[in-house]
C-alpha cells in the first residue's frame, strides 16, 4: 500500500513540474509577443518617418 501511495505522490509531483514548465513557457511566449508588438510599432514609426521624409524631399524639388 505504501508503495502505491509513494508512486501516486511522485506522479503528482511530475504533473506539477510539467504544469510549471507549461506556465513558464507561456510566460516566455507572452514576453516574445510583447517584443514583437514593440518591433511592429517601431517599424510602423519608421515607415511613417520615411513617408514624411519623401514628402519633404518631393516638396523641396517642387513635386506634389
Amino acid at each position: 500500500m505504501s508503495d502505491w501511495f509513494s508512486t501516486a505522490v511522485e506522479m503528482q509531483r511530475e504533473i506539477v513540474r510539467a504544469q510549471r514548465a507549461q506556465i513558464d513557457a507561456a510566460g516566455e511566449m507572452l514576453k516574445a509577443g510583447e517584443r514583437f508588438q514593440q518591433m511592429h510599432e517601431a517599424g510602423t514609426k519608421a515607415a511613417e518617418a520615411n513617408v514624411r521624409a519623401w514628402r519633404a524631399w518631393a516638396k523641396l524639388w517642387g513635386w506634389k
Side-chain angles (χ1 to χ4, degrees):
M1 183 83 162
S2 68
D3 187 53
W4 177 86
F5 183 75
S6 61
T7 302
V9 168
E10 187 58 34
M11 184 180 73
Q12 289 295 319
R13 286 186 183 132
E14 288 299 319
I15 290 170
V16 169
R17 285 185 200 124
Q19 289 173 337
R20 284 183 182 156
Q22 287 177 329
I23 290 170
D24 291 343
E28 290 299 317
M29 287 174 50
L30 288 173
K31 289 177 188 175
E34 290 171 0
R35 288 190 297 267
F36 180 79
Q37 182 180 4
Q38 291 170 348
M39 209 169 52
H40 175 70
E41 290 171 357
T44 301
K45 289 177 183 178
E48 291 169 350
N50 193 26
V51 168
R52 286 192 302 273
W54 273 104
R55 285 184 179 157
W57 183 82
K59 186 176 178 182
L60 179 68
W61 291 99
W63 299 350
K64 288 187 177 183

